[in-house]
Amino acid sequence: MDKVLLRPEEAAEILSLGRSKVFELMARGDLASIKVGRSRRVAIEDLRAYVERQRQVAGGADPVGQH
């Protein structure tokens, strides 16, 4: 079964960002997260939505190597 919720460190790895940058994005509300107990988690759907928003901001550029 695929993961539904990711630890911030896992989200950072997927996005190729640092852990602190992911926490910054969550704090600003740019990357949605949920609180589970005392921990923060990022839903995989929210991670995909963040990436899609970034693509739209960048003008919908094609991923590297794909045309």
Side-chain angles (χ1 to χ4, degrees):
M1 174 183 252
D2 292 333
K3 287 186 174 186
V4 176
L5 296 175
L6 302 171
R7 293 187 330 267
E9 296 81 5
E10 293 170 317
E13 184 175 335
I14 290 169
L15 294 172
S16 297
L17 297 173
R19 177 182 173 270
S20 60
K21 184 63 172 181
V22 169
F23 276 101
E24 179 185 321
L25 292 170
M26 291 188 304
R28 286 195 323 228
D30 294 338
L31 177 60
S33 65
I34 62 171
K35 194 166 184 177
V36 179
R38 292 174 32 183
S39 302
R40 283 272 163 201
R41 296 292 184 261
V42 177
I44 194 72
E45 295 87 8
D46 291 328
L47 193 65
R48 288 186 177 121
Y50 170 77
V51 171
E52 184 57 34
R53 284 192 307 276
Q54 297 311 302
R55 289 185 71 202
Q56 290 174 0
V57 167
D62 288 335
V64 175
Q66 295 183 8
H67 301 278

